[in-house]
Short mmCIF file of all heavy atoms in Angstrom, two decimals:
data_model
loop_
_atom_site.label_atom_id
_atom_site.label_comp_id
_atom_site.label_asym_id
_atom_site.label_seq_id
_atom_site.Cartn_x
_atom_site.Cartn_y
_atom_site.Cartn_z
N ARG W 66 8.05 14.97 17.42
CA ARG W 66 7.19 14.65 18.56
C ARG W 66 7.24 13.14 18.81
O ARG W 66 7.34 12.36 17.86
CB ARG W 66 5.75 15.08 18.23
CG ARG W 66 4.70 14.70 19.25
CD ARG W 66 3.42 15.47 18.96
NE ARG W 66 2.99 15.28 17.59
CZ ARG W 66 1.90 14.61 17.22
NH1 ARG W 66 1.09 14.11 18.13
NH2 ARG W 66 1.58 14.48 15.95
N TYR W 68 5.07 10.25 21.22
CA TYR W 68 4.06 9.97 22.26
C TYR W 68 3.89 8.46 22.36
O TYR W 68 4.34 7.72 21.48
CB TYR W 68 2.73 10.68 21.99
CG TYR W 68 1.99 10.29 20.75
CD1 TYR W 68 1.00 9.30 20.79
CD2 TYR W 68 2.24 10.91 19.54
CE1 TYR W 68 0.28 8.96 19.66
CE2 TYR W 68 1.54 10.57 18.40
CZ TYR W 68 0.56 9.58 18.46
OH TYR W 68 -0.13 9.24 17.34
N LEU W 70 1.32 5.06 23.89
CA LEU W 70 0.07 4.54 24.44
C LEU W 70 0.43 3.41 25.38
O LEU W 70 1.10 2.45 24.97
CB LEU W 70 -0.83 4.03 23.32
CG LEU W 70 -1.18 5.03 22.21
CD1 LEU W 70 -2.12 4.39 21.19
CD2 LEU W 70 -1.84 6.26 22.79
N ARG W 79 -8.45 2.25 19.22
CA ARG W 79 -8.04 3.66 19.14
C ARG W 79 -7.80 4.03 17.68
O ARG W 79 -7.78 3.19 16.81
CB ARG W 79 -6.78 3.88 19.96
CG ARG W 79 -6.94 3.45 21.40
CD ARG W 79 -5.89 4.06 22.26
NE ARG W 79 -5.88 5.51 22.10
CZ ARG W 79 -5.70 6.37 23.08
NH1 ARG W 79 -5.52 5.94 24.31
NH2 ARG W 79 -5.67 7.65 22.86
N GLY W 80 -7.57 5.30 17.45
CA GLY W 80 -7.31 5.77 16.09
C GLY W 80 -8.59 6.31 15.48
O GLY W 80 -9.09 7.32 15.93
N HIS W 82 -8.89 7.67 12.51
CA HIS W 82 -8.62 8.94 11.85
C HIS W 82 -7.50 8.78 10.83
O HIS W 82 -6.84 7.74 10.79
CB HIS W 82 -8.26 10.03 12.87
CG HIS W 82 -7.01 9.75 13.66
ND1 HIS W 82 -7.02 9.38 14.98
CD2 HIS W 82 -5.71 9.77 13.29
CE1 HIS W 82 -5.79 9.19 15.39
NE2 HIS W 82 -4.97 9.41 14.38
N MET W 130 -6.22 1.08 15.81
CA MET W 130 -5.29 0.27 16.61
C MET W 130 -6.11 -0.54 17.62
O MET W 130 -6.93 0.04 18.34
CB MET W 130 -4.34 1.18 17.40
CG MET W 130 -3.28 1.85 16.56
SD MET W 130 -3.79 3.50 16.11
CE MET W 130 -3.18 4.42 17.47
N TYR W 147 1.85 18.40 17.55
CA TYR W 147 0.41 18.08 17.58
C TYR W 147 -0.39 19.24 17.00
O TYR W 147 -0.19 20.39 17.36
CB TYR W 147 -0.02 17.81 19.02
CG TYR W 147 -1.51 17.59 19.13
CD1 TYR W 147 -2.09 16.43 18.63
CD2 TYR W 147 -2.34 18.57 19.68
CE1 TYR W 147 -3.46 16.23 18.70
CE2 TYR W 147 -3.70 18.37 19.76
CZ TYR W 147 -4.25 17.21 19.26
OH TYR W 147 -5.60 17.01 19.31
N TYR W 152 -5.91 16.62 11.50
CA TYR W 152 -6.59 15.32 11.56
C TYR W 152 -7.80 15.31 10.62
O TYR W 152 -8.45 16.33 10.43
CB TYR W 152 -7.17 15.09 12.96
CG TYR W 152 -6.23 14.58 14.02
CD1 TYR W 152 -5.23 15.37 14.56
CD2 TYR W 152 -6.37 13.30 14.54
CE1 TYR W 152 -4.41 14.91 15.58
CE2 TYR W 152 -5.55 12.83 15.55
CZ TYR W 152 -4.57 13.65 16.06
OH TYR W 152 -3.75 13.18 17.06
N ARG W 154 -11.13 13.16 11.05
CA ARG W 154 -11.74 12.19 11.98
C ARG W 154 -13.06 11.64 11.48
O ARG W 154 -13.58 10.68 12.04
CB ARG W 154 -11.93 12.84 13.36
CG ARG W 154 -10.62 13.15 14.08
CD ARG W 154 -10.89 13.52 15.52
NE ARG W 154 -9.68 13.92 16.23
CZ ARG W 154 -8.89 13.09 16.88
NH1 ARG W 154 -9.15 11.79 16.91
NH2 ARG W 154 -7.83 13.55 17.51
P1 TYD G 14 -5.90 10.83 19.44
O1 TYD G 14 -4.88 11.19 18.41
O2 TYD G 14 -7.34 10.94 19.05
O3 TYD G 14 -5.60 9.37 20.02
P2 TYD G 14 -5.74 7.90 19.36
O4 TYD G 14 -5.68 8.05 17.87
O5 TYD G 14 -4.58 7.15 19.91
O6 TYD G 14 -7.02 7.29 19.83
O7 TYD G 14 -5.63 11.71 20.73
C1 TYD G 14 -6.30 11.50 21.98
C2 TYD G 14 -6.28 12.80 22.78
O8 TYD G 14 -4.93 13.18 23.08
C3 TYD G 14 -6.90 13.97 22.01
O9 TYD G 14 -7.63 14.75 22.97
C4 TYD G 14 -5.71 14.79 21.56
C5 TYD G 14 -4.64 14.49 22.58
N1 TYD G 14 -3.27 14.49 21.99
C6 TYD G 14 -2.38 15.48 22.32
O10 TYD G 14 -2.69 16.42 23.09
N2 TYD G 14 -1.12 15.44 21.79
C7 TYD G 14 -0.72 14.45 20.96
O11 TYD G 14 0.44 14.44 20.49
C8 TYD G 14 -1.66 13.41 20.61
C9 TYD G 14 -1.29 12.29 19.68
C10 TYD G 14 -2.92 13.45 21.16
#
Side-chain angles (χ1 to χ4, degrees):
R66 174 166 54 112
Y68 64 93
L70 303 182
R79 304 198 54 141
H82 62 253
M130 287 96 89
Y147 175 71
Y152 278 71
R154 292 191 184 270

